[in-house]
Amino acid sequence: MHQARRRDRRPGHRTGAGTAQLQAPASAVEVAGADVVIVGCFSGRQKDFTKLMDAAARESGACGARVVGRIVQRRGVSAGGAKKMALPYSSRTLLTYGKVREAAMLCERTNAGAAVFVGCLTQRQRRVLTGMLGCPAVGLADALASATRRPRPGPPSRSRPEPSPPSQEP
C-alpha cells in the first residue's frame, strides 16, 4: 500500500505570528535618500547588460537614492549549458553563493541601506537575500513603486471655507 500524503511541514509554509515579522512588504523598504547597491543577474546572451545596469542606476537616482556600488552576475559566460542560460543560478538567491558573498561584502563596506535588484524578487528571495546581505533587498520595480506612492512635499493645500447659509436680516 501507498503511504498517505502528509502535510508539508517546511518552515517556509508555516503561518502564524512568528512569520509575520519575517515577511515585511516590499513597500516598507525606502530607498529614497539611502545608499544602494545595484545587483543584476543576466544571461550570457544578453549583450546590453551594462545599459540595463546604467538605466537602473539612473532610475534609482531619480527616486532619491545614491548608488554606491554595482554587482553583475552573468549566466552562461564561462560555464553552464545553453538550456540553462536564461535561468538563475539559485531559485533562493538568483546568484551564486560567491556572488552573494561579494555583494554582502560590498554592502557592508559601503554601508548600503538597501540592495536593489534589477529584476523582480519573490517574497522568499527578499527574505533570504535580506538575511544574507545584511541590508534590505528589493526589486527595482518595487523600489520605484514605493517611491511614487510617497507623498511629495509641496505647498500646503488651502481648504476653501464652506459657504455660510444666507443670513436673514429684517
Side-chain angles (χ1 to χ4, degrees):
M1 296 285 328
H2 292 289
Q3 193 174 26
R5 277 186 84 166
R6 296 182 189 166
R7 265 188 46 217
D8 190 8
R9 295 185 187 270
R10 291 182 288 178
H13 292 261
R14 195 175 40 177
T15 58
T19 60
Q21 58 184 324
L22 292 176
Q23 297 177 354
S27 60
V29 177
E30 191 64 44
V31 296
D35 293 341
V36 299
V37 172
I38 304 291
V39 183
C41 180
F42 303 102
S43 167
R45 294 180 184 153
Q46 197 163 9
K47 303 298 182 202
D48 61 343
F49 70 94
T50 55
K51 291 179 185 176
L52 294 172
M53 290 292 286
D54 291 339
R58 276 193 309 273
E59 290 174 0
S60 297
C63 291
R66 189 170 69 102
V67 178
V68 293
R70 296 180 184 196
I71 296 286
V72 175
Q73 174 78 65
R74 300 286 312 274
R75 173 74 190 224
V77 175
S78 60
K83 293 179 184 176
K84 295 182 177 182
M85 274 177 63
L87 300 174
Y89 276 108
S90 168
S91 62
R92 292 180 69 219
T93 62
L94 299 178
L95 310 169
T96 59
Y97 180 69
K99 196 57 78 170
V100 172
R101 279 194 338 231
E102 186 180 330
M105 286 190 301
L106 180 62
C107 288
E108 183 180 343
R109 188 173 62 239
T110 60
N111 201 16
V116 178
F117 281 74
V118 175
C120 294
L121 297 176
T122 64
Q123 192 74 289
R124 180 179 183 216
Q125 289 167 340
R126 274 189 226 113
R127 187 175 60 242
V128 169
L129 286 166
T130 296
M132 292 177 82
L133 297 176
C135 65
V138 64
L140 180 62
D142 294 331
L144 295 175
S146 68
T148 58
R149 276 187 251 133
R150 276 186 332 155
R152 297 185 182 248
S157 60
R158 295 183 189 169
S159 60
R160 282 188 183 167
E162 293 187 23
S164 60
S167 63
Q168 296 179 353
E169 292 183 28

